[in-house]
Amino acid sequence: MAKDNQLTLPIEIIEHFNSLTDKPAFLIDKEKQTFTIADEKAFDGLIIKITEYMKGASND
């Protein structure tokens, strides 16, 4: 069970997020089924891409 400050997502979603950036934004431990931010710049770029996508989706 996740602690209050943890986000629980399927590893496949995190892998997909990593595929959206030039460098992986997340480091995935498949054995433990956990992930951490691997690269701050890649993570920031991912957030920008998701935000732009959401803005575009809300305009449709």
Side-chain angles (χ1 to χ4, degrees):
M1 184 169 193
K3 295 179 184 176
D4 290 340
N5 62 347
Q6 291 181 323
L7 178 62
T8 304
L9 291 171
I11 294 299
E12 294 82 10
I13 291 175
I14 302 305
E15 290 173 333
H16 177 69
F17 286 160
N18 274 347
S19 75
L20 300 175
T21 57
D22 294 332
K23 287 177 70 176
F26 298 101
L27 179 62
I28 301 169
D29 184 332
K30 289 186 177 184
E31 184 177 311
K32 293 181 183 177
Q33 293 288 299
T34 60
F35 62 93
T36 58
I37 295 174
D39 185 280
E40 290 288 334
K41 287 185 180 182
F43 178 77
D44 291 346
L46 176 63
I47 297 302
I48 290 168
K49 285 183 178 186
I50 291 171
T51 301
E52 289 173 352
Y53 173 81
M54 296 302 290
K55 284 180 182 177
S58 67
N59 291 332
D60 291 344

